[in-house]
Amino acid sequence: MSKQTPFLMSDKNDQGDGDTGVLTKTRSKTARPPLYKVLLLNDDYTPMEFVVHVLERFFGLSHQQSFEIMLTVHKKGVAVVGVFSHEIAETKVTQVMDYARRHQHPLQCTMEKE
């Protein structure tokens, strides 16, 4: 097995201006994609049990977590359900809105940049 040695150019370039010509690698830092909060909004018509069911079904929350978030929505008018990448947040909002409409509830779900 042979050992590899790093490749270095000569200390001087062809023009003789003293530039070392050593190769260096630069890595660009990949920025993290922005995250989005998924929000559930209160209304006077959607049953609390339905909201708990939605939270369990689409956000994978336990019954206790879902119940607590539902109470926050009921008391404060809005609650953050989760924080996701744009695509996932958008999908969750669409799923919740479609499901609520199919069950004839006016439940509102939105997203906003964190």
Side-chain angles (χ1 to χ4, degrees), residues 18 26 31 35 45 53 61 69 71 79-80 84 93 102 106 113:
T26 58
L35 296 176
Y45 304 101
H53 174 70
L61 300 173
I69 291 174
L71 283 179
V80 175
F84 307 96
V93 168
R102 283 197 312 270
K113 200 170 188 176

Side-chain angles (χ1 to χ4, degrees), residues 5 7 9 12 21 23 28-29 31-32 46 48-50 64 66 75 81 91 95 100 105 113:
T5 57
F7 176 77
M9 294 177 66
K12 293 186 179 182
L23 296 178
S28 60
K29 247 188 173 175
R32 290 187 176 264
T46 305
M48 292 178 173
E49 298 81 23
F50 183 79
Q64 182 62 35
S66 298
K75 292 176 183 176
V81 181
T91 300
Q95 288 173 331
H105 295 298
K113 200 170 188 176

Side-chain angles (χ1 to χ4, degrees), residues 2-15:
S2 65
K3 288 187 177 183
Q4 293 182 343
T5 57
F7 176 77
L8 297 176
M9 294 177 66
S10 68
D11 284 346
K12 293 186 179 182
N13 65 11
D14 291 341
Q15 287 77 29

